[in-house]
Structures are given as structure tokens and as C-alpha cells.
Amino acid sequence: MDDIDNDVVMDDPTTAEDTSFPSASTTTTTATTTTTNGRSGAGTSGQPDDEEQDPTEYPEHLRRRGILPTGCCYDDRMKLHANADFGPNPHHPEDPSRIEYIMKTFKKAGLVFTGSDAELLRIIQTNPTKYMWRIPAREATKEEICTVHHPGHYMWVEALSRKSTQELRELSMRMDQGRDSLYVGSMTYEASLISAGGAIETCKSVVSGVVKNAFAVIRPPGHHAEFDAPMGFCLFNNVPIAAKICQADYPDLCRKILILDWDVHHGNGIQNLFYDDPNILYISLHVYRNGEFYPGKPDNPMTPDGGLEHCGAGPGLGKNVNIGWHDQGMGDGEYMAAFQKIVMPIAHEFNPDLVIISAGFDAAAGDELGACFVSPACYAHMTHMLMSLAGGKVAVCLEGGYDLEAISKSALAVAQTLMGEPPPKMEIPRISREAAKVLAKVQAYQAPYWECMRAGVVDVQEMQAQGSSRLHDVVRRAQRQVLSEKHGMLPLYIQRDVLFKSFENQVLVTRGIQGARKILMIVHDPPELHAQPDPIDNSLEPHNAWVTDGVTRYVDWAVEKGFGVIDVNVPHYITHPEDTDSFTPRADERTIQAQVQELMCYLWDNYLQLYDQVEDIILVGVGNAYLGVKVLLINRLDVKSRVAGVVNFVNGSLRPVKSDVDSDLSAWYKEHSQVYVANDHACWADPDLTRKVMKRRFGNVIRSQANGLSAMMAEHFSDVQQFILERVSFEEPGEEEMAEENHGGGGGGGGSGGAAASGRRTG
């Protein structure tokens, strides 16, 4: 196998040619030329009658798109961009070895020809698509660079070639930190010109039909470079330069361009250069982390960052799509979902003439800087999907990616797919809940601009203008009406401004609650909603939707048995009229716990604790709202002396009940509780977790055979009845049946069993 340093002769770039794989340069000239190794080439328009056909030219009879080769652009001179402060082998993420490793991997996999000239001629005539077709790199001109960059920026980069080593070192030390994150060397200017020129020639070869698609193995990268400044390892923004040149040189072939940027960092430079351009669709998949991940927030607050809400401006509104992940750690499931739900639908609707991939591989598994887990197979599948656009005209331009093994394997998978190999079979993991929320938000932000994004996206402002109500408010009003009609239950007024606004109508009590001797307090999630949308337009008819409320039968039973009932509904979201997002995620656990803790302590301090006649209190927690039971037990030390038992139904986070000031609380909780945990809960999948949740601080944990809150409550209804009846005091022996009949209206039981019951509670 040829050594990589022999790929390009280090001479005048107009005469240097690599014999390691076929060259597209022979198909782009219009006159016969003699090359350094004696071969000659002819133009794409065909050979004149009086001249002999060049044997190294791509055969004219094979010039159909389906059998055109895949191009590859590479030049060793781009390795000369190195950090002046560290010498020829810099310990820096943007290492010159990045492109060398990729080309070595291409050669080892047989994608690049490494044989003799005689064999090369035979292959060109018999099997010209067997290897990648050479696209020579060249230096971009000042005019080409300044199609997207300010002339002052070009002059700044050019001036690097005239600076002393000491000046370059000082400049690198000053700039290689913070948002600039840049190093420079004595050959940075020349390497940057070749990188930009390589991107130009790669994209032009694809547009003009010299190759069917191509991969530009280039550096330094470009997508962070701004109109007037370098940034983030980037000097010139290669992809926008190539895009503008293609639009200018091929106006009939290349009007609309899709730039898909899957680098783990947001391509701020590309976004800002095309933010108001209607003919460039920029889609970026990147880690955003609320603006904290590099490149972070711009110095100018008026400049858009990589947030989901930034969709373009003016005539370019809707042509900027940011899929900014909430955190690192994303993998195949998230990226494939993004492509299937957002990228490909929008891309097909845009219908580009050319696709350029800003291919950073720092989201690849193994790259410590990106800390994500995208596999080579996933990169192959994403490439394959993009090849369905623009008649297959796809140009891949290397951006970031700093683990040499990860970047090489990922680039190889992309190149093999470009050459026609089917993407490998892969198992797609389930997408994380937070990532699914990100995609839903992206869809909502893009819905005004793309027809494909509108299915299922609600215009909240229009709904509010029509006086519409959120369904969870309607459901709670219906619950209140039903419980009022059946049991005379009324809303309990919460005398706190913030709490009242949040929990108006959410706390219902039976009449005469202050005189009840037995109280069932049930703290629960809202009812479960089930709906089947129309498969055509995603619309939803009321008759195809159901509400499942597992709490009702427990309330009915408790009232029948003479309990006073306090029904506390903890909504996943508190309605605010100013909220206009079509998709609002449920509150996180910390928010729910803070709200429910204030509410539960208020109810205990102002009601339950003051009911001296109460002999037995049963606490029931359902879903995430069971956190209310937990925080009440921890924050009010006198609770356990008055509570006869605790029943919880858990299908989410399972939390311990322990106290720093009451060492007996966990033991009491274990003895006085029944904690039903869903059959598909994660704690049952890991033996270590299973052993952990069986400890006393998690209560008396029982694995349910059912999944879903309503199903669990139905499954264990009889068990819960028995558990409660064993722990509460009723009327004197012989009068129990009469008491049950007399207490059906929710008044509350009397009797002489309180002392015994109290003894059981404190045991």
C-alpha cells in the first residue's frame, strides 16, 4: 500500500498529480494536456475527430448518473496547518493527522486505487466505479473567499503567512481559549486556501456531473468561521464558499442547496451567513445544552445562536432549522429519529438541487470532546437518506471530529455508502424522553413554514383567541362535577395566592370533612388520556379518545365505608394563559415536588392536624404525585402518629422515605405501607436495583403484574381494601354493618376503637 505522503507531489499545485487513484482533472479541461507522468486528458465535451481518445478519461458511454464514480478530494498540504506553539506534532484536538488517518482507512478498505498505471488504465476502461475518482484540490482565490467573507478577514488570514514564529505563538496562546478557540501557524493561510478550494472543486464536480457524489477530506474545518472573523478551529467557511460558487457558476443546475450539518457543535458561521437566504436551507443537529455548549452564546445578544427558536429571518424565514439537543450523550436512536421526523420531511419539501453535508464526526462514539454515541452504521444510514435528494447529488465536506479511530470509521461508512454499498443493518435504540421533547419543539417552531411539520401541531394563540380550554382543565372540571353529584364533594379553598392559582379546583373534599373520624387522602396524577388520531391528517375526533380514571372507584369505596375523602389532583402542567407553545412538556420532578410539598404541608397544618376527632388517616399516592406522600412524611414529624397506613402506586421514579431527624421513619414506613410498582419498571430489570428497592426506606415494595396506573389500581383494588380495613378502627362490635349503611353520605364514623388503632399506627 502506498504511503499516504506520496498521495500528492509537493510541487506546484497546477502540475502535481496523485497516481494512487483516478483523477477527475482529466475530465474538466477542454484541451488535451500532458501530465507529469505522461498521461493526457480531454474535456467533458468529447474528443475532437482528429485527436486520439485519452485512455485515462472517464468513458463517455458510461456517463449516466447511475454509473458515475464517487469523487474524493484530498491534499497532503492541508496537514501543514499546525500549531506554531507545539511544533510539527501538536497535542491539539484539530490534529493534522485527522485527514491522514481517514485516507489511510480509505486505502486499507480498498476505496482508493494504489496499483500501477497499467492496471489503472484497465480499470478505467472496464470498471471505472470500483474506486473513488480523484478530484484535485487547489487554492481558492481571493474573489471566491470574499463571496462570503469580508475582505478584511481574508487579509487577516493572509497576513499569518508573513508573521514570525514568535508572533504566531503569541497569537495562538491568546486565541486558543474561550469562544475564539483557534490556533495558527506559518502555513495556516496556504492550508486554508486549499481546504476551501477543495470544497469548491468537490461541489462543482458533483453539480456538473463529473462524479455522482463526493467526499472532501479537508482541513482546517470551516463551519464556525464568521463573515469577518475566524473561530473554533476554523479560518474560512468552506461549505458556504463552495455553495455560493456553485450557485454562481451553475445557475440553471444549482439554485437551491441543502446544507446538513451533523457536527456535534452548532455551525454558527453557516447559520449567520445564510440566515436570510431563501435558497439555502441550513439544518444543524448539535448539542445545545441551553446555550452552554460550544460555541455558546454570541457576544452580540442580537445574533441568533443554536437555539430551536431561531428559524431564519426575512425571505429566509423557515430556512434555518436547529435541532439542538438538551445535553450530550445522544446516539443512534436520537439521530435517526431526528432524520425521520424533522430532517427528511423538510428536506423533501424544500427539494434541493444539491446536498452538502458539513460532516463533523465529533458526535461519533469514542469522541471524548463530543461525548455522544453515534455509530458508523448510523452515519451510513443518514447519508443514504440524504442520497434520495437532489438526484443523488451529495457532497460531503469534513468538519470536526477529533478521535482518530472514530473519525476514520465514521468517514469510511459514509464513503462506502456514497459508493453504493447498502448501509449495514442496525438496531435502533429507543429515543430518550428529553430528546423526544426537543424534536416536538422543533416541529412546533418549524410548523408555520413547512407543510410537513403542521400535522398534529396546534396553533395555541388561535385556540386562545377562540376561547378554547386545555383538555386537562376540562377533565378536572368534569371530575369535580361527577364527584359533586355522587358524593357532594366541594373544592377546598387554598388561602395562598400562588397555591390558589395553581390548585384551584384541584383539591376536593366530602361535606362534613371536619367531623370525619376516618379520612382517606388520595394524591394522584391526572387521569390517563388515550386517543387514536386520524391516520391521514392526524386530526382527533372526541369519539376516538378515552379518559381512564383509576381513582374514582377508590373514592366511591371510601365514601361507602364512611371515610371523609380529600382528593388532591396534581396536574403535570399548570395552565398559564401566556404560554403559547403547542407542546409543553410536563413539569420535571423537582418542580412537581416543590409544588406538592407546599400544598401537602399547607393541608396538614391548616386542616388535618386540626381535626382532633380523626382517629385514622390513610394516605394514597398515585403516579408522580405520590411524591406528596413522601414529602409530607419527611417534613411533618407528627404525621406517622396519626396515619394508619400508606398505599402508593408507582410507575415512574421510586423515591426513598428517610429523615435526618427521625431515625425511625424508614422502619415505620416499611411496616405501614404497600408500595405497588409497575411490572415494567426499570428497577426489576437489574438485580442490584431490585435488592436496593427492597430496603425499608422504599417501603413495603410489591411488584405488580400490571403496567400503567389505572391498570395497577384495578389489579390491586381488593388488596388495598383489605390493607386499609385491617388498619382502621370501626364502630363497636356488632354495629359495623349499621355504621356502614349510615355513613354512606360521607359524614364520618365514630366508635371506641381509636385507642387500639392508634397503638397500631405508632407501632
Side-chain angles (χ1 to χ4, degrees), residues 88-379:
N89 297 305
H91 298 285
H92 191 281
E94 210 290 283
D95 192 301
S97 300
R98 295 168 61 243
I99 57 174
E100 177 183 344
Y101 267 70
I102 291 175
M103 284 305 298
K104 282 184 175 180
T105 302
F106 284 3
K107 284 187 174 184
K108 187 175 181 180
L111 273 60
V112 174
F113 178 74
T114 58
S116 65
D117 284 359
E119 186 181 2
L120 172 63
L121 295 177
R122 180 184 61 79
I123 289 174
I124 290 175
Q125 295 301 318
T126 60
N127 192 10
T129 62
K130 183 176 181 180
Y131 298 104
M132 302 180 92
W133 195 263
R134 172 66 185 278
I135 301 174
R138 63 169 175 84
E139 292 186 353
T141 66
K142 178 180 179 180
E143 291 72 23
E144 289 171 331
I145 298 292
C146 291
T147 57
V148 301
H149 285 294
H150 190 280
H153 173 56
Y154 175 87
M155 295 172 63
W156 184 89
V157 180
E158 182 187 33
L160 296 174
S161 61
R162 298 188 294 271
K163 291 184 181 295
S164 67
T165 299
Q166 183 62 30
E167 289 176 312
L168 293 170
R169 286 179 175 176
E170 292 175 354
L171 186 60
S172 292
M173 292 180 66
R174 186 171 71 250
M175 297 191 70
D176 195 17
Q177 55 187 320
R179 201 163 189 264
D180 286 341
S181 192
L182 185 77
Y183 74 79
V184 294
S186 60
M187 296 296 289
T188 291
Y189 168 63
E190 289 78 3
S192 298
L193 290 181
I194 296 172
S195 183
I200 293 171
E201 289 304 305
T202 298
C203 293
K204 288 179 66 175
S205 296
V206 173
V207 172
S208 62
V210 174
V211 293
K212 65 177 179 179
N213 51 45
F215 197 130
V217 186
I218 55 176
R219 70 174 288 273
H223 73 149
H224 291 308
E226 296 281 5
F227 165 69
D228 57 355
M231 180 179 157
F233 309 162
C234 304
L235 281 301
F236 297 135
N237 211 323
N238 305 316
V239 166
I241 293 170
K244 296 299 287 186
I245 296 300
C246 286
Q247 286 179 322
D249 290 358
Y250 303 98
D252 296 331
L253 296 177
C254 187
R255 184 172 67 90
K256 297 191 299 180
I257 298 176
L258 163 63
I259 299 175
L260 188 284
D261 187 344
W262 64 41
D263 191 285
V264 79
H265 303 99
H266 178 242
N268 55 287
I270 302 178
Q271 170 176 286
N272 295 334
L273 287 168
F274 295 130
Y275 203 61
D276 58 356
D277 192 326
N279 292 316
I280 302 288
L281 170 60
Y282 178 62
I283 304 179
S284 176
L285 296 96
H286 56 273
V287 174
Y288 181 59
R289 200 194 289 156
N290 199 32
E292 297 175 358
F293 197 73
Y294 190 86
K297 299 286 186 181
D299 297 331
N300 183 352
M302 300 301 292
T303 302
D305 65 357
L308 316 185
E309 70 276 14
H310 299 302
C311 304
L317 196 59
K319 301 304 190 297
N320 195 85
V321 182
N322 282 328
I323 305 174
W325 302 120
H326 61 288
D327 205 349
Q328 294 170 278
M330 301 299 103
D332 293 355
E334 288 75 22
Y335 276 74
M336 290 297 288
F339 260 69
Q340 293 167 352
K341 295 177 181 293
I342 306 294
V343 174
M344 295 311 298
I346 290 179
H348 278 293
E349 188 172 333
F350 180 67
N351 193 24
D353 302 311
L354 172 67
V355 176
I356 306 177
I357 304 176
S358 279
F361 294 107
D362 38 8
D367 192 299
E368 294 183 1
L369 198 63
C372 288
F373 301 98
V374 181
S375 69
C378 185
Y379 282 116

Side-chain angles (χ1 to χ4, degrees), residues 535-591:
I536 304 300
D537 61 8
N538 214 37
S539 63
L540 184 61
E541 299 289 345
H543 65 273
N544 289 320
W546 292 262
V547 177
T548 306
D549 186 1
V551 171
T552 304
R553 68 171 65 192
Y554 284 77
V555 174
D556 293 344
W557 175 82
V559 172
E560 177 187 347
K561 292 296 183 182
F563 285 82
V565 177
I566 301 178
D567 178 283
V568 183
N569 182 72
V570 180
H572 294 149
Y573 160 80
I574 305 299
T575 297
H576 301 291
E578 63 272 17
D579 292 344
T580 58
D581 290 346
S582 59
F583 177 82
T584 302
R586 66 171 60 183
D588 57 35
E589 183 176 317
R590 180 178 297 179
T591 302

Side-chain angles (χ1 to χ4, degrees), residues 628-650:
V629 175
K630 167 198 163 184
V631 296
L632 180 61
L633 292 173
I634 293 174
N635 288 279
R636 292 298 182 265
L637 297 180
D638 59 335
V639 169
K640 68 178 185 179
S641 66
R642 308 196 56 191
V643 170
V646 177
V647 178
N648 289 321
F649 295 94
V650 183

